[in-house]
């Protein structure tokens, strides 16, 4: 236990040093004896830097790359499969912002529907999010496997949701002004 502490670099490499100030060390020995010691300052070298870097999924993640870096990796790929994966990933990154528009097209009719009240809106929106993710991952897999072009697979969910939203808006428009709550 300590009143204060800080982590600081311990020198070359990724090792860190934990510096504790104004604390106590409590320890129970095997024989049942309990020991307590007070200290003004204590330092412990903790070799967590490299371990955390190796176990951190986001460290060196493809999601940290810029669009230009992804395109360069696709261009410099060692195999056609690797190139397809990188191109699909690039279009997945670009498909994310477009997905907002597809969701807007679909969610406006859901929000305007008279049936079921708020519970219907919440349930339909939750179902839409799950379905969007499933279709997006399915399309991405098809494009990585070469079944669909790299630009279409990640945008499959966007196309499906924009179409569904457009049809729902058209149906809402056909019902007239009384269809909106």
């Amino acid at each position: 236990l300590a009143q204060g502490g800080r982590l600081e670099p311990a020198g070359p490499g990724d090792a860190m040093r934990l510096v504790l100030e104004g604390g106590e060390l409590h320890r129970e020995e095997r024989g049942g004896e309990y020991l307590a010691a007070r200290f003004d300052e204590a330092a412990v070298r903790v070799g967590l830097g490299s371990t955390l870097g190796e176990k951190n999924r986001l460290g060196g993640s493809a999601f940290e790359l810029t669009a230009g870096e992804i395109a360069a990796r696709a261009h410099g790929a060692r195999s056609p499969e690797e190139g397809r994966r990188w191109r699909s990933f690039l279009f997945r990154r670009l498909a994310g912002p477009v997905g907002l528009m597809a969701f807007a097209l679909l969610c406006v009719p859901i929000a305007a529907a008279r049936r079921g009240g708020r519970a219907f809106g919440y349930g339909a929106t939750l179902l839409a999010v799950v379905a969007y993710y499933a279709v997006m991952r399915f399309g991405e897999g098809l494009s990585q496997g070469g079944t669909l072009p790299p630009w279409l697979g990640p945008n499959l969910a966007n196309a499906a949701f924009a179409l569904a939203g457009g049809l729902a808006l058209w149906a809402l428009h056909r019902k007239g002004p009384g269809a909106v709550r």
Side-chain angles (χ1 to χ4, degrees), residues 27-92:
R27 182 175 171 175
E28 185 175 354
E29 296 292 323
R30 286 188 185 186
E33 183 181 359
Y34 187 81
L35 302 173
R38 293 177 191 247
F39 59 86
D40 291 327
E41 183 174 293
V44 179
R45 187 180 173 118
V46 184
L48 290 179
S50 61
T51 305
L52 288 176
E54 291 167 7
K55 292 186 178 181
N56 186 354
R57 289 185 333 106
L58 300 177
S61 169
F63 288 98
E64 295 177 1
L65 300 174
T66 65
E69 292 170 332
I70 296 169
R73 288 193 180 192
H75 183 71
R78 294 182 216 127
S79 68
E81 294 81 21
E82 183 183 357
R84 260 196 319 270
R85 275 196 319 273
W86 282 111
R87 282 189 294 283
S88 294
F89 183 73
L90 174 62
F91 284 105
R92 177 184 176 187

Side-chain angles (χ1 to χ4, degrees), residues 69-137:
E69 292 170 332
I70 296 169
R73 288 193 180 192
H75 183 71
R78 294 182 216 127
S79 68
E81 294 81 21
E82 183 183 357
R84 260 196 319 270
R85 275 196 319 273
W86 282 111
R87 282 189 294 283
S88 294
F89 183 73
L90 174 62
F91 284 105
R92 177 184 176 187
R93 292 272 302 270
L94 298 173
V98 175
L100 296 174
M101 295 304 296
F103 263 102
L105 281 173
L106 183 64
C107 289
V108 166
I110 289 173
R114 293 183 143 251
R115 162 182 19 159
R118 287 186 182 161
F120 171 76
Y122 292 145
T125 303
L126 180 63
L127 182 65
V129 169
V130 171
Y132 179 87
Y133 181 76
V135 172
M136 188 250 323
R137 294 295 295 182

